[in-house]
């Protein structure tokens, strides 16, 4: 009997090389938007879950598809090198170590799935005076529980999802928490209008379609209309890239004074920190750097090691250029506006078909030439380096699915199955959509899409509330049909010459309002 026991989550102090998570971690993408595309979560699972519940789902998935017999746990990869006849065979020599014993094996293809949260980025050398600081310094990867920080004055550096979570949790036990940010950020909540998961309300094909059809000038999605980010010290600095984090409690902690927003750090003294705006905080006990991670592939030789570490060099974020045979794929080295799990699954589906020769990619010489040209243009400032930006979830997923042949054919669906087509286009773009057709088609995909709201609401309805039966009102029909009809009208309006005339008038400062607001529907 095999025991599912991922050491990085069960041990308080896991061995080096294991990715750590803090005990209070809760997912920030809801279950229906972050499941494997042919294996929905159980209906009683919460929409957002802690890491124990998430690992339970992974265990269920592995057992359902009988995968455990193919997995060798507690095995370290020492080296991955091309075999002498790689140009003909595309094979790799892989050296591994299990419980102190090394083993060498030959593989026809390799998928590197270490992701981007393995090697902590701790940029101490960029902070003046850090060597003088007498307090405790650690990376967020080392943080597990707040108990040891009782009554301390703490500075958390970095306003990403992790920095926000840690600041909020420490605010309950620490004397004071300061949250230092260089850029600011938008704050999103896990719930949206009506209390539905925000991911399900905003990640929809028709939103994505509108964003591509209308000029960006006319589209403004207020990330959190109830929160004045400037008043809270969260507003994104001018000239900085747009970013957002998911945190339900940070605004309240700021409102109550338990978390104080600060500018970026300028200098350290023995016990104080000087910030860029000239303010000083004294008697600082701990500094936690939530400064992200570095991409690391220590098992590769150069130049492959450096090549794979550059996102801009990877074809569609997956395949490194310049290899005579396409038998290596980098999985999970992506940042998406949606679920990383869903993205990595589709990457893996595409990669395996490329390995089999069922999908083709451009020749290695062409890929290398294009990647090198792009890198040079970025260095010269001709184009921007967008490799660190979050990719649009639907656009990226559709791009990969198009390569596989699994992208939903919306017009065809409207002809064959209007009910399903409506849910696919106007409803949440959940991973099941990429199992409706093409290679890897799953017969349960249609039902999974049509019942996703049932699984969303089920875990919350733990108290039976009597319902009063009322006929559907006009406002109900307006809520259900109003937004799609407005959308269709707006598209037609945009295509007309009248719209172009209004645009001209706006440019002359006469007619158009300051912005167009897209309102999120209040019901599914």
């Amino acid at each position: 009997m095999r025991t599912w026991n991922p050491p990085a989550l069960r041990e308080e102090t896991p061995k080096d090389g294991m990715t750590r998570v803090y005990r209070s971690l809760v997912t920030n993408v809801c279950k229906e938007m972050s499941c494997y595309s042919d294996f929905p979560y159980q209906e009683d699972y919460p929409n957002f879950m802690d890491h124990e519940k998430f690992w339970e789902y992974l265990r269920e998935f592995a057992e359902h598809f009988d995968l455990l017999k193919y997995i060798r746990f507690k095995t370290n990869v020492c080296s991955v090198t091309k075999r002498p006849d790689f140009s003909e065979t595309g094979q790799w020599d892989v050296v591994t170590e299990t419980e102190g014993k090394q083993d060498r094996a030959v593989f026809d293809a390799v998928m590197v799935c270490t992701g981007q949260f393995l090697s902590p980025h701790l940029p101490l050398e960029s902070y003046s005076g850090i060597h003088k600081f007498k307090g405790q310094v650690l990376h967020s990867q080392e943080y597990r529980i707040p108990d040891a920080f009782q009554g301390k004055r703490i500075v958390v550096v970095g306003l990403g999802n992790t920095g926000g979570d840690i600041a909020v949790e420490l605010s309950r036990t620490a004397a004071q928490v300061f949250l230092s940010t260089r850029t600011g950020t938008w704050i999103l909540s896990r719930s949206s209008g009506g209390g539905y998961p925000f991911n399900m309300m905003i990640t929809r094909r028709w939103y994505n379609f509108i964003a591509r059809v209308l000029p960006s000038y006319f589209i403004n999605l207020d990330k959190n209309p109830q929160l004045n980010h400037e008043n809270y010290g969260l507003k994104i600095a001018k000239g900085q890239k747009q970013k957002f984090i998911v945190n339900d409690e940070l605004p309240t902690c700021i409102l109550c004074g338990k978390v104080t927003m600060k500018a970026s750090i300028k200098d350290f003294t023995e016990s104080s920190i000087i910030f860029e705006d000239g303010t000083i905080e004294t008697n600082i006990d701990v500094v936690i750097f939530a400064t992200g991670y570095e991409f690391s592939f220590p098992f590769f030789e150069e130049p492959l090691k450096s090549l794979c570490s550059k996102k801009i060099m990877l074809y569609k974020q997956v395949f490194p250029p310049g290899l005579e045979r396409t038998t290596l794929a980098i999985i999970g080295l992506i940042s998406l506006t949606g679920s990383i799990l869903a993205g990595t699954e589709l990457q893996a589906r595409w990669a395996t078909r490329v390995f089999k020769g069922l999908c083709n990619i451009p020749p290695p010489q062409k890929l290398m030439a294009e990647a090198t040209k792009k890198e040079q243009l970025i260095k010269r400032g001709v184009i921007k380096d967008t490799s660190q930006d979050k990719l649009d979830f639907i656009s990226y997923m559709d791009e990969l699915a198009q390569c596989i042949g699994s992208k939903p054919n919306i017009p065809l669906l409207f002809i064959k199955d209007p009910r399903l087509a409506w849910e696919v286009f106007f409803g949440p773009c959940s991973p099941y959509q990429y199992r409706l057709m093409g290679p890897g088609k799953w017969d349960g995909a249609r039902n999974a899409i049509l019942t996703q709201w049932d699984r969303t609401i089920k875990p919350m309805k733990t108290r039976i509330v009597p319902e009063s039966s009322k006929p559907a009102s006009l406002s109900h029909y307006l809520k259900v049909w109003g937004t799609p009809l407005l959308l269709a009208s707006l598209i037609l309006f945009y295509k007309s010459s009248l719209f172009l005339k209004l645009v001209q008038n706006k440019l002359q400062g006469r007619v158009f309002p300051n912005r167009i607001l897209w309102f999120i529907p209040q019901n599914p």
Side-chain angles (χ1 to χ4, degrees):
M1 184 74 178
R2 292 178 181 267
T3 301
W4 182 268
N5 188 34
L9 292 181
R10 307 296 178 180
E11 299 175 13
E12 286 300 316
T13 309
K15 298 178 182 179
D16 289 341
M18 298 293 184
T19 300
R20 300 169 174 87
V21 295
Y22 40 99
R23 185 184 290 177
S24 62
L25 178 67
V26 175
T27 58
N28 56 24
V29 180
C30 64
K31 65 178 181 179
E32 292 301 308
M33 302 299 288
S34 61
C35 63
Y36 286 113
S37 58
D38 54 356
F39 194 73
Y41 282 89
Q42 295 182 32
E43 63 176 11
D44 60 345
Y45 270 43
N47 285 285
F48 299 94
M49 59 203 74
D50 60 27
H51 58 71
E52 291 287 345
K53 204 71 176 176
F54 176 73
W55 275 111
E56 182 69 15
Y57 170 74
L58 292 184
R59 182 190 62 78
E60 293 169 356
F61 177 82
E63 291 179 351
H64 177 80
F65 290 102
D66 197 22
L67 301 178
L68 292 178
K69 63 185 179 183
Y70 301 110
I71 302 172
R72 187 191 301 174
F73 291 106
K74 298 182 179 180
T75 299
N76 183 52
V77 178
C78 302
S79 67
V80 178
T81 55
K82 293 189 289 186
R83 286 181 59 79
D85 58 352
F86 180 83
S87 58
E88 287 79 32
T89 65
Q91 292 181 327
W92 300 84
D93 277 322
V94 179
V95 178
T96 59
E97 183 176 318
T98 306
E99 297 180 350
K101 182 181 178 181
Q102 283 200 348
D103 182 40
R104 182 183 297 271
V106 176
F107 288 89
D108 296 314
V110 172
M111 299 172 73
V112 179
C113 307
T114 52
Q116 55 183 348
F117 304 108
L118 189 61
S119 302
H121 175 58
L122 193 59
L124 299 183
E125 67 284 349
S126 62
Y127 290 94
S128 174
I130 186 68
H131 62 282
K132 296 182 291 186
F133 183 63
K134 301 296 185 181
Q136 183 182 3
V137 175
L138 65 153
H139 189 273
S140 57
Q141 192 191 58
E142 301 174 73
Y143 174 81
R144 298 286 290 160
I145 55 179
D147 301 21
F149 303 94
Q150 180 79 36
K152 295 184 181 295
R153 288 170 59 82
I154 303 169
V155 173
V156 178
V157 182
L159 185 49
N161 284 303
T162 299
D165 284 350
I166 291 176
V168 166
E169 182 171 62
L170 287 174
S171 71
R172 303 187 186 105
T173 58
Q176 183 63 49
V177 175
F178 303 96
L179 183 50
S180 171
T181 176
R182 226 174 5 95
T183 62
T185 189
W186 288 102
I187 304 288
L188 303 181
S189 174
R190 286 179 173 83
S191 64
S192 181
Y196 299 103
F198 182 84
N199 314 114
M200 297 183 74
M201 302 304 289
I202 197 63
T203 311
R204 302 188 176 207
R205 290 187 174 276
W206 74 273
Y207 285 164
N208 190 261
F209 177 73
I210 280 291
R212 287 186 283 113
V213 170
L214 286 181
S216 58
Y217 179 86
F218 298 103
I219 300 176
N220 177 56
L221 178 63
D222 199 342
K223 309 296 190 301
N224 192 334
Q226 295 180 340
L227 178 65
N228 186 314
H229 285 68
E230 183 174 2
N231 289 346
Y232 279 70
L234 296 166
K235 185 176 180 180
I236 296 177
K238 186 176 181 180
Q240 297 290 339
K241 295 179 180 179
Q242 296 290 307
K243 56 177 283 193
F244 64 86
I245 67 170
V246 177
N247 198 302
D248 299 288
E249 300 178 69
L250 182 57
T252 300
C253 290
I254 297 173
L255 196 63
C256 297
K258 297 299 292 180
V259 174
T260 301
M261 296 303 303
K262 303 295 293 186
S264 56
I265 294 175
K266 180 180 180 181
D267 199 2
F268 283 83
T269 68
E270 289 188 356
S271 61
S272 302
I273 294 181
I274 304 170
F275 296 91
E276 291 288 350
D277 57 6
T279 59
I280 301 174
E281 296 298 339
T282 60
N283 301 318
I284 300 300
D285 301 297
V286 183
V287 178
I288 300 176
F289 285 91
T291 44
Y293 294 80
E294 297 174 347
F295 311 137
S296 175
F297 302 98
F299 37 79
F300 285 144
E301 296 178 327
E302 293 291 359
L304 188 58
K305 181 189 294 186
S306 298
L307 195 65
C308 292
S309 299
K310 299 178 181 178
K311 281 187 178 183
I312 59 172
M313 301 298 286
L314 299 178
Y315 178 62
K316 297 188 186 298
Q317 311 286 318
V318 176
F319 293 105
L323 293 176
E324 305 95 309
R325 298 282 180 174
T326 309
T327 56
L328 173 65
I330 309 299
I331 305 297
L333 198 62
I334 50 173
S335 295
L336 296 177
T337 57
S339 168
I340 298 296
L341 185 144
T344 55
E345 182 199 8
L346 205 53
Q347 284 182 328
R349 289 176 62 189
W350 179 41
T352 53
R353 293 186 63 79
V354 171
F355 293 159
K356 292 179 181 178
L358 300 175
C359 291
N360 297 319
I361 67 172
Q365 298 84 359
K366 182 178 180 180
L367 291 181
M368 180 59 82
E370 290 178 351
T372 302
K373 181 181 178 181
K374 185 176 182 180
E375 188 177 32
Q376 292 173 346
L377 290 175
I378 291 173
K379 288 180 179 178
R380 289 162 46 194
V382 178
I383 61 175
K384 292 183 178 180
D385 182 4
T386 59
S387 61
Q388 304 305 316
D389 295 351
K390 286 182 179 291
L391 299 172
D392 178 75
F393 178 76
I394 295 178
S395 299
Y396 184 68
M397 295 286 282
D398 279 357
E399 186 179 358
L400 296 188
Q402 184 75 46
C403 297
I404 299 172
S406 299
K407 180 183 175 182
N409 188 328
I410 307 297
L412 182 62
L413 279 179
F414 268 109
I415 295 173
K416 297 176 61 176
D417 194 338
R419 181 189 175 194
L420 176 62
W422 181 270
E423 290 297 328
V424 169
F425 188 69
F426 290 107
C429 184
S430 46
Y432 319 120
Q433 294 193 9
Y434 299 100
R435 293 284 184 177
L436 287 171
M437 54 189 62
K441 179 182 177 181
W442 175 45
D443 291 338
R446 181 183 188 275
N447 183 64
I449 292 172
L450 297 180
T451 58
Q452 58 192 347
W453 285 109
D454 297 332
R455 289 187 299 277
T456 298
I457 297 172
K458 170 71 174 179
M460 297 185 290
K461 303 201 74 169
T462 55
R463 171 177 171 260
I464 305 301
V465 179
E467 294 184 2
S468 57
S469 57
K470 295 186 297 184
S473 63
L474 176 61
S475 62
H476 169 76
Y477 289 111
L478 287 176
K479 284 182 179 179
V480 174
W481 295 95
T483 299
L485 290 175
L486 178 63
L487 165 67
S489 301
L490 188 58
I491 293 174
L492 293 175
F493 185 55
Y494 169 68
K495 294 295 185 181
S496 69
S497 58
L498 176 60
F499 183 87
L500 296 178
K501 182 178 179 180
L502 287 173
V503 172
Q504 293 173 355
N505 289 337
K506 169 58 184 174
L507 294 178
Q508 297 172 12
R510 292 202 300 262
V511 176
F512 238 93
N514 289 333
R515 59 186 182 178
I516 295 176
L517 288 176
W518 298 111
F519 292 97
I520 300 173
Q522 298 299 301
N523 61 346

